[in-house]
Amino acid sequence: MLKNTRPPLVQLMWSKDIVITNITLRNSPFWHFHPYDCTNVTVSDVTILAPISGAPNTDGIDPDSCEDVLIENCYISVGDDAIAIKSGWDQYGIAYGRPSSNILIRNVTVRSLVSAGISIGSEMSGGVANVTVKNVRIWDSRRGVRIKTAIGRGGYIRNISYSNITFDNVRAAIVIKVDYNEHADDGYDRNAFPDITGISFKKIHGWGVRVPVRAHGSNYIPIKDITFQDMSVGISYKKKHIFQCSYIEGRVIGSVFPKPCENLDVYDEQGQLLKSGAVLNSTEVDYDI
């Protein structure tokens, strides 16, 4: 029996001014590129490939407690999250206290048949802030963009902007999940509640999507200040609750299709309030995605 975990293919730690460009990374036993506690990282024109099933944890790019990161012009098709932003796990990430911040992801095409195209978390205990994701195509994936966390993580996820995102045959397009209860050990703080606030989605389009939005906070971890604007997603599965929401507050601006959940305030394109959101902390959930 192996006594060691599977290694990442490329891992750089406590470094700065890193440029990874014009290479292909293939079939890593674990994450393909893992910069840890690094500053000023550029990943450009990189292809990352792994089997799309039966290859667990073969994430493409996982910036972990990193600052000033640019990921652009990449193609990633792997057996887990294509890109996942992290900052430490439970009490260990809280103690280390190094957030991931100032991250720009643009002009990438990604696929994850098993997991998500672009994720934040679930290990985000040092905090994640100031992330911009734009001009992204996510195709043939189980989930499109995902935020995942849980009690015990602590930290924060804030000021996250998604724009000009295209989903092509994605089962659940936008997912925010606060019960991702995998822990490093049993020593995590049961009173460490992550804070999720300031998440915006603008120019979101696609087709062949089963569930466009699943945003479930909890009474301990509400989702605050979420915005949807200019959204039109062609759905492949009709159900009463197309937007699935609980414990969230925020707004819808202008045209959004399918019909958003009742939790959200509705504004017109000029910013005039049309309807205040209702206080609804549970909706019917279809877990079969």
Side-chain angles (χ1 to χ4, degrees), residues 167-285:
F167 301 111
D168 179 1
N169 191 28
V170 174
R171 301 189 80 184
I174 295 169
V175 178
I176 303 177
K177 178 183 177 72
V178 301
D179 60 350
Y180 202 84
N181 292 313
E182 295 181 0
H183 301 282
D185 53 42
D186 199 45
Y188 67 94
D189 182 357
R190 274 70 173 173
N191 294 312
F193 304 122
D195 179 68
I196 304 175
T197 185
I199 315 295
S200 71
F201 299 91
K202 185 176 182 180
K203 297 182 180 178
I204 308 298
H205 303 288
W207 48 88
V209 172
R210 178 166 175 154
V211 178
V213 174
R214 171 168 292 151
H216 289 291
S218 71
N219 56 334
Y220 294 106
I221 312 172
I223 300 164
K224 298 170 287 185
D225 189 22
I226 190 168
T227 302
F228 297 94
Q229 182 175 3
D230 185 6
M231 179 171 175
S232 178
V233 173
I235 56 175
S236 62
Y237 179 71
K238 300 185 185 300
K239 193 173 176 69
K240 183 178 179 181
H241 297 288
I242 299 299
F243 264 59
Q244 299 176 357
C245 310
S246 56
Y247 293 97
I248 77 171
E249 63 88 5
R251 66 203 59 80
V252 170
I253 301 173
S255 176
V256 170
F257 177 84
K259 181 182 178 182
C261 53
E262 299 292 329
N263 308 60
L264 304 171
D265 297 333
V266 178
Y267 291 81
D268 64 18
E269 293 285 1
Q270 288 70 45
Q272 298 297 312
L273 178 65
L274 301 178
K275 179 183 177 183
S276 295
V279 179
L280 297 173
N281 287 329
S282 63
T283 59
E284 182 181 350
V285 179

Side-chain angles (χ1 to χ4, degrees), residues 18 37 44 47 57 60 65 69 81 144 158 167 194 223 238 270:
I18 298 162
D37 197 349
S44 182
T47 299
N57 306 119
S65 294
V69 177
D81 293 334
R158 62 188 182 215
F167 301 111
I223 300 164
K238 300 185 185 300
Q270 288 70 45

